[in-house]
């Protein structure tokens, strides 16, 4: 598919250059470019106030970095396009904030697998370090009926901004962390969002994520390029708004006499003329229902790159919370994504920069193998990388429609980074090698896949540490594989049969374990067969985990799952390399 027109330089520099442009426009913001972290200018003066942190993938601008400022976010972390930020970057942001904070930190996490995983890693590290920190998971998408939602739950959409605004205002008032968290939870409980898409987005260098006929719209479309819950014929603005409000009102149990705050979010490419019409229809129809909109916010707030569409978010203002909610929404903020900002004026004082934490040198730990075995491991890694790079375009095609169309590109970044560092890797120390690969995965991939592969290799490295000098190496690798697999099941919440990479990894692991005492030839042959059988079985399965779980249209599920195909590809490359090595 031909790429569409975009004003970009190098694809790999998009996020860094965009953040740099934001901070040139609002020079009071502090940018830590190496970690893609944006800090509020008053971060050093907030010692006795609760700090608020949030982050997410890029492509949603001005969210998240545009909402950094007094009365909103203390720090924001940006990931790659449509990918959650790596946990190391989140940890860096937390540590920067914690240096000047005694009141505690609230972390607002969008409800997506990648965000939950990467923020989860950073949160656990922060708690271990004794930082006073709590989190809230935000998900308010009401487009998918409750009985059809995945185990992950509702997606976090435009309503995240209301949580940030209310929590940020309470923090600025000097409220305790427990109270800030309490009202953030009240906000999530009382809001709902519905989306309608008219045109899919395109990631720079690629075509549209999926095709929509000229007379069709996508109901419940996501913000990462994924298709929606259902497709229908285009209707008038009045009819579309009516459909959206009906679902939201049912979700929030709104009745005549209720009060609400309204957010109308542009996906990025809807004209301002149309957005005004939509806002007009919302207010008119709410008034017809005798539901009073006390506050209305409209603009380009959380985009899906160049997608054409609209979010409607309603925040119910129950009597018990009404005054607090309105007071917080009305409090001033200088965050550039919110009206009335003044960050275009630079600070007169030069700020003391945060020092980068030096990367700890990894010790040579665990058992050492001989040079011949180390050479075999190197060949396995080289061939696995080569096999993934060759499948980049096909993997992207498999991932398009039910994902964000970048599975192949993401894995290619990982494998090319491995190739770049090949001469620095410790092939004769398997445990250290897996730790190094885990680090490369986290740094180069980002998102859910980066976190999952990082967990896989990190857990494998830990398991290999228990390898004894005279222990059977085949049994040790089998145990390591199983331990690594169980780790990503534990933290990712997916399981075999959910249409994920696990559907290739699990049969490979089970077969390896069952045949661990068999001949090497039998192990290799049967592992390859089991892996591809598991991969093929993902055809036609409805996803129950990850981003694809929000896509309910069956024709997007007819192909093999991209993650499973990638896993089967590198497993086969490794197995074939071992077979050829011992011929």
């Amino acid at each position: 598919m031909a790429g569409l027109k975009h004003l970009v330089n190098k694809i790999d520099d998009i996020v860094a250059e965009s953040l740099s442009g934001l901070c040139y426009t609002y020079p009071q913001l502090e940018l830590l470019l190496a970690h893609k972290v944006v800090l509020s200018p008053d971060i050093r003066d907030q010692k006795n106030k609760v700090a608020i942190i949030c982050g997410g993938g890029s492509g949603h601008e001005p969210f998240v970095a545009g909402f950094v400022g007094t009365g909103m976010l203390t720090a924001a972390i940006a990931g790659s396009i449509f990918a959650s930020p790596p946990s190391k970057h989140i940890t860096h942001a937390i540590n920067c904030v914690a240096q000047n904070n005694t009141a505690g930190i609230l972390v607002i996490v969008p409800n997506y697998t990648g965000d939950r995983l990467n923020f989860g890693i950073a949160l656990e590290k922060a708690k271990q370090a004794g930082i006073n920190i709590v989190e809230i998971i935000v998900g308010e998408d009401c487009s998918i009926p409750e009985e059809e939602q995945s185990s992950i739950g509702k997606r976090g959409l435009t309503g995240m901004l209301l949580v940030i605004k209310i929590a940020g205002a309470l923090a600025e008032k000097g409220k305790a962390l427990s109270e800030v968290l309490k009202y953030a939870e009240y906000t999530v409980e009382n809001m709902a969002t519905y989306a309608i898409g008219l045109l899919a987005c395109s990631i720079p260098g690629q075509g549209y994520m999926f095709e929509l006929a000229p007379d069709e719209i996508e109901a419940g479309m996501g913000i990462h390029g994924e298709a929606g819950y259902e497709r229908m014929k285009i209707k008038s603005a009045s009819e579309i708004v009516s459909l959206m409000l009906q679902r939201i009102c049912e979700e929030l149990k709104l009745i005549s006499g209720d009060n609400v705050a309204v957010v109308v979010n542009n996906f990025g490419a809807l004209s301002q003329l149309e957005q005004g019409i939509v806002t007009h229809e919302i207010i008119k129809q709410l008034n017809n229902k005798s539901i009073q909109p006390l506050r209305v916010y409209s603009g380009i707030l959380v985009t899906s790159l160049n997608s054409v569409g609209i979010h409607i978010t309603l925040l119910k203002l129950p009597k018990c919370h009404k005054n607090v909610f309105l007071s917080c929404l009305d409090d001033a903020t200088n965050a550039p994504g919110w009206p009335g900002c003044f960050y275009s004026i630079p600070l007169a004082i030069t700020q003391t920069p945060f020092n980068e934490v030096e990367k700890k040198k990894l010790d040579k730990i665990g058992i050492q193998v001989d040079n011949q075995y180390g050479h075999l491991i190197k060949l396995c890694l080289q061939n696995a990388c080569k096999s993934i790079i060759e499948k980049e375009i096909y993997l992207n095609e498999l991932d398009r429609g039910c994902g964000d169309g970048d599975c192949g590109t993401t894995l290619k970044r990982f494998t090319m980074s491995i190739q770049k560092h090949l001469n620095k890797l410790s092939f004769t120390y398997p445990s250290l090698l897996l730790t190094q690969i885990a680090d490369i995965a986290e740094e180069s991939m980002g998102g859910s896949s980066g976190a999952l592969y990082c967990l896989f290799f990190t857990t494998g490295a830990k398991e290999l540490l228990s390898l004894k000098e005279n222990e059977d190496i085949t049994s040790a690798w089998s145990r390591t594989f199983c331990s690594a697999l169980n780790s990503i099941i534990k933290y990712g919440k997916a399981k075999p049969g959910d249409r994920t990479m696990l559907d290739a990894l699990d049969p490979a692991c089970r077969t390896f374990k069952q045949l661990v005492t068999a001949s090497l030839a039998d192990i290799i042959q049967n592992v390859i067969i089991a892996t591809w059988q598991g991969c093929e079985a993902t055809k036609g399965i409805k996803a129950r985990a990850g981003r694809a779980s929000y896509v309910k249209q069956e024709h997007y599920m007819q192909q093999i799952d991209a993650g499973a195909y990638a896993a089967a590809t590198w497993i086969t490359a490794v197995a074939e390399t071992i077979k050829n090595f011992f011929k």
Side-chain angles (χ1 to χ4, degrees):
M1 186 182 293
L4 300 176
K5 297 176 182 177
H6 293 90
L7 283 174
V8 300
N9 296 312
K10 293 181 180 178
I11 300 294
D12 291 343
D13 297 336
I14 286 176
V15 178
E17 291 180 354
S18 180
L19 287 175
S20 179
L22 172 75
C23 294
Y24 281 136
T25 308
Y26 304 104
Q28 293 190 29
L29 290 173
E30 184 172 356
L31 174 61
L32 308 179
L33 194 56
H35 296 278
K36 297 181 177 63
V37 171
V38 176
L39 302 174
S40 176
D42 58 0
I43 185 173
R44 295 163 183 79
D45 304 317
Q46 295 291 304
K47 183 178 180 182
N48 299 316
K49 293 179 182 176
V50 171
I52 313 292
I53 295 177
C54 188
S58 297
H60 305 307
E61 290 71 27
F63 182 82
V64 180
F67 296 96
V68 173
T70 304
M72 290 194 81
L73 291 175
T74 314
I77 314 99
S80 300
I81 292 178
F82 293 166
S84 60
S87 66
K88 286 187 176 180
H89 294 184
I90 301 167
T91 296
H92 190 77
I94 291 171
N95 289 339
C96 289
V97 171
Q99 285 183 39
N100 299 282
N101 179 274
T102 57
I105 301 170
L106 171 65
V107 179
I108 298 172
V109 183
N111 191 29
Y112 295 96
T113 302
D115 291 309
R116 292 177 69 117
L117 285 166
N118 284 291
F119 275 92
I121 293 168
L123 282 158
E124 289 302 317
K125 289 179 180 177
K127 290 171 184 176
Q128 287 175 11
I131 296 173
N132 182 17
I133 191 167
V134 295
E135 74 273 10
I136 181 169
I137 308 293
V138 179
E140 87 284 4
D141 176 21
C142 66
S143 66
I144 301 173
E146 189 171 343
E147 63 274 10
E148 294 187 45
Q149 289 173 14
S150 73
S151 57
I152 303 298
K154 299 176 181 179
R155 292 178 283 197
L157 302 173
T158 308
M160 288 185 287
L161 302 183
L162 295 172
V163 180
I164 291 169
K165 184 67 180 71
I166 289 170
L170 289 167
E172 189 61 24
K173 294 174 193 285
K175 301 299 182 183
L177 180 59
S178 59
E179 186 168 2
V180 175
L181 175 61
K182 179 177 70 175
Y183 276 97
E185 291 170 340
Y186 290 156
T187 307
V188 175
E189 292 167 5
N190 284 281
M191 68 182 184
T193 298
Y194 198 96
I196 288 287
L198 282 69
L199 189 69
C201 73
S202 65
I203 294 175
Q206 300 183 26
Y208 287 115
M209 300 295 289
F210 61 88
E211 295 294 329
L212 263 178
D215 63 341
E216 291 180 331
I217 59 174
E218 196 81 3
M221 194 163 89
I223 57 172
H224 299 96
E226 68 268 38
Y229 175 70
E230 58 183 326
R231 192 163 291 184
M232 62 183 69
K233 295 297 181 183
I234 185 73
K235 305 175 188 295
S236 69
S238 176
E239 291 173 299
I240 290 173
V241 168
S242 176
L243 178 153
M244 297 171 79
L245 287 180
Q246 179 182 354
R247 184 70 193 93
I248 294 171
C249 289
E250 288 172 356
E251 180 75 14
L252 296 178
K253 298 179 173 56
L254 292 172
I255 59 173
S256 174
D258 281 340
N259 298 320
V260 294
V262 182
V263 180
V264 188
N265 173 53
N266 188 323
F267 270 22
L270 190 74
S271 73
Q272 294 297 297
L273 190 71
E274 292 164 286
Q275 183 159 356
I277 294 169
V278 170
T279 304
H280 162 80
E281 278 296 332
I282 294 168
I283 306 310
K284 184 176 80 171
Q285 293 188 29
L286 286 174
N287 285 333
N288 289 341
K289 295 174 183 289
S290 297
I291 297 170
Q292 190 175 3
L294 299 184
R295 299 290 185 277
V296 180
Y297 308 98
S298 178
I300 299 176
L301 304 169
V302 183
T303 66
S304 179
L305 287 175
N306 57 345
S307 180
V308 181
I310 205 86
H311 279 128
I312 297 176
T313 301
L314 296 188
L315 172 63
K316 186 177 182 179
L317 302 171
K319 289 182 180 178
C320 53
H321 307 316
K322 176 182 172 182
N323 291 338
V324 175
F325 282 171
L326 287 177
S327 172
C328 290
L329 291 173
D330 291 345
D331 279 356
T333 177
N334 49 26
W338 204 262
C341 297
F342 55 90
Y343 278 6
S344 295
I345 306 168
L347 288 173
I349 337 172
T350 305
Q351 295 173 333
T352 308
F354 284 99
N355 294 322
E356 292 285 338
V357 179
E358 287 189 18
K359 202 166 186 178
K360 184 181 177 183
K361 187 177 179 181
L362 295 171
D363 295 322
K364 292 182 177 180
I365 51 176
I367 192 170
Q368 182 180 11
V369 298
D370 60 35
N371 289 334
Q372 184 185 25
Y373 199 90
H375 179 61
L376 170 59
I377 295 173
K378 184 176 183 179
L379 285 175
C380 288
L381 191 58
Q382 286 176 310
N383 291 336
C385 289
K386 182 181 177 184
S387 68
I388 288 296
I389 291 169
E390 290 172 348
K391 296 293 184 180
E392 177 195 5
I393 295 173
Y394 183 59
L395 287 168
N396 283 343
E397 286 295 329
L398 290 177
D399 193 38
R400 192 166 283 118
C402 57
D404 55 13
D406 71 342
C407 177
T409 303
T410 301
L411 284 166
K412 182 182 177 182
R413 279 203 312 271
F414 176 32
T415 53
M416 290 187 72
S417 189
I418 289 174
Q419 290 177 334
K420 180 181 175 182
H421 295 90
L422 203 62
N423 293 331
K424 300 177 183 177
L425 299 179
S426 301
F427 292 102
T428 55
Y429 289 86
S431 179
L432 175 56
L433 174 65
L434 295 193
T435 299
Q436 291 171 322
I437 294 173
D439 192 55
I440 292 171
E442 184 173 12
E443 286 289 342
S444 62
M445 294 176 75
S448 304
S449 53
L452 289 169
Y453 273 100
C454 177
L455 282 169
F456 184 82
F457 289 111
T458 298
T459 309
K462 180 183 175 184
E463 188 66 34
L464 277 179
L465 280 177
S466 63
L467 179 61
K468 307 300 182 197
E469 196 74 40
N470 297 319
E471 185 178 350
D472 178 63
I473 193 72
T474 305
S475 298
W477 279 115
S478 173
R479 190 179 71 247
T480 298
F481 196 160
C482 291
S483 179
L485 179 63
N486 290 335
S487 176
I488 59 177
I489 291 173
K490 174 185 175 182
Y491 286 101
K493 297 299 183 185
K495 57 185 183 300
D498 282 354
R499 188 184 164 89
T500 68
M501 62 192 287
L502 295 177
D503 294 314
L505 292 173
D506 180 66
C509 179
R510 284 188 287 104
T511 303
F512 191 4
K513 185 177 180 180
Q514 289 165 4
L515 298 175
V516 72
T517 58
S519 69
L520 188 59
D522 282 346
I523 294 174
I524 289 171
Q525 180 183 354
N526 285 283
V527 164
I528 292 174
I529 291 171
T531 302
W532 284 107
Q533 285 176 343
C535 180
E536 286 289 327
T538 61
K539 286 182 179 178
I541 294 178
K542 287 186 177 181
R544 290 188 289 271
R547 191 170 294 156
S549 65
Y550 298 111
V551 180
K552 301 300 177 181
Q553 288 150 257
E554 291 184 2
H555 63 273
Y556 285 115
M557 303 298 173
Q558 297 311 305
Q559 290 183 305
I560 292 169
D561 175 70
Y565 188 90
T569 298
W570 64 256
I571 288 172
T572 301
V574 170
E576 292 285 0
T577 302
I578 297 170
K579 181 175 74 174
N580 293 332
F581 188 84
F582 288 108
K583 271 185 178 179

